[in-house]
Amino acid sequence: MRYLKLFLLAWLAVFVQSSLSGLLSVWGLLPDFMAMIIGLTALTLGTGPGILTGVMAGFMADCYHPSTMGLFTLSGAVSGYWAGSLRERIYKDQLSSQLLTVGLLSLVRQLFEYWGRGGGGPGGYFSVLLRFGLGSALFTVLLGALLMPQMKHFLSRPGKTKLSLT
Amino acid sequence: MRLLNFRFLKKTDWASLGAAVILSATLMILPQGAKLWLGQKVVGTIFAPLEWPLSRARSLMASWKENAVLKDQLAKLNLEHAGLLEAARQNAGLRQALELKKLSSWNLVTAQIAGREPVLLSPDLLIDKGAGDSLEPGLVVLSTLGLVGLITSADKKQSTVQTVFSPDSRVSAIDLRSRVLGIFRTTAGMSCLFDRVPLRADVAPGDTLVSSGYGGVFPYGLMLGVVEKVGMDKRKLVLDVEVRPALDLNRINQVLVIRGGQDPALPLLTPVPVPDTSAVRAAKRKRSYQPQVIIRAPEFRIELPDTTPLQLEKSPQ
């Protein structure tokens, strides 16, 4: 059941990212739902579930872009690991800490996407970062402030859910 | 089931990260065809079922926005179209008025109809020119359709025109074909009559009536209407001639006032043979019919002997 829950969250993140994020586009900036889900899972449940969610969501995202298959899986896994490793170093229950982590994750994922798709050198990355990356990360943080409390409630519901693996 | 037990993640996160990296690397080194197949299978299985209704919803939303934009455009274009139609109508009216001005030797003043008397039958017209434009009562008003009426009063900026449909209006008229004189008038604004026409006069349906000029008020040649029906009552001394008027007050928005100039000469009262009546056309046809004898050459071919070599032999001599 717990893995099904993680799978559903990953599936939902990819589906919303691929199908609905266009409706939320503001000045060409899109929110990063996958970063939101991976970050929240890793902070709430630990590094393992974070990596697992990252791998599942990344693999589903890779299926939309088969030519670069594996790239999003890798970025999801690294994001989950990194967010999970922060868990012991920050106030993980504070919403502001979670939002900051999610914003940084969004930037990391964009870094992977940029280099994985042959975007160019570091100069180009900083240009993309200034034009879209920071705005998208900020947008993700703002949207996360609304959605993440509900998602956290869903993840850590008492009863059958026993995901405290760490 | 042991393989699906993720408890080993407790011990080290590095192991899980390593497994994920190996998985990613495996996916990366897959052949391109396998990547495509895998991508299509996964997307087609777990995402496509929800994608269809979502795309319908997106399309509906796009149509809704597009519909609003198109409605706006349609409203603007309708307004523009109405404006262009009105401009075309004014243009046609002005062209006709210009032609009329060129043809006549009158001094004409163009005026717009500013209003109509609010009555159902034979309303008087208000025009936007008045005494300030040297208009005065008694001047004749016409339009491209024919005679309109007479100015009865003139203020500084507008004048009132009594139309030919007024029950008080009488116009001396003439049948253009037979030169029969009569009076054009209306019966209480309901129908138009060609009155005072003797019983034996030659008036037929389809004849054109114009003002005769013999009344001294209206000049000769202004269109009044076409004879529609001729009735004969032996107890009367005159014919009952109903006329379909040329003027339609609902179709004019511009008139011309004759402010002076040279009136045309009064018409002859003897019938002039009209060159293009049906009798003349029949006579022409009769004259032009002559039996023709057509002499045709025989259509079969006669083969002649080829004399070219003989001529060639003779030519050096």
Side-chain angles (χ1 to χ4, degrees), chain A residues 11 19 47 66-67 74 81 165, chain B residues 10 13 24 46 50-51 58:
Chain A
W11 175 84
S19 301
T47 310
S67 59
L74 184 64
Y81 174 79
L165 299 175
Chain B
K10 260 186 186 178
D13 298 330
S24 305
I46 62 173
L50 266 182
E51 192 62 45
R58 270 200 300 262

Side-chain angles (χ1 to χ4, degrees), chain A residues 51 54-60 62 69-78, chain B residues 20 23-24 27:
Chain A
I51 293 174
V55 167
M56 284 193 291
F59 174 67
M60 288 182 216
D62 274 334
M69 179 83 78
L71 176 69
F72 283 113
T73 310
L74 184 64
S75 75
V78 171
Chain B
L23 177 66
S24 305
L27 288 172

Side-chain angles (χ1 to χ4, degrees), chain B residues 31 39 45 60 93 104 132 145 183 202 224 227 262 276 289-290 314:
Chain B
T45 307
L60 196 66
S104 69
L145 297 176
I183 301 292
D202 178 17
L224 290 170
V227 174
Q262 183 71 41
D276 204 18
Y289 175 72
Q290 287 175 353
K314 284 177 184 175

Side-chain angles (χ1 to χ4, degrees), chain A residues 77-143:
Chain A
V78 171
S79 302
Y81 174 79
W82 183 67
S85 65
L86 282 179
R87 190 170 182 253
E88 305 299 330
R89 299 186 181 89
I90 62 169
Y91 295 104
K92 62 183 170 59
D93 292 328
Q94 273 188 356
L95 182 62
S96 54
S97 307
Q98 294 167 358
L99 291 176
L100 185 65
T101 308
V102 165
L104 290 172
L105 276 189
S106 173
L107 293 177
V108 170
R109 278 174 36 76
Q110 285 176 43
L111 179 73
F112 268 90
E113 190 176 344
Y114 178 76
W115 277 332
R117 294 196 173 174
Y125 174 69
F126 284 113
S127 165
V128 171
L129 192 72
L130 288 175
R131 284 176 63 193
F132 301 106
L134 289 175
S136 290
L138 186 64
F139 193 7
T140 307
V141 166
L142 290 176
L143 205 62

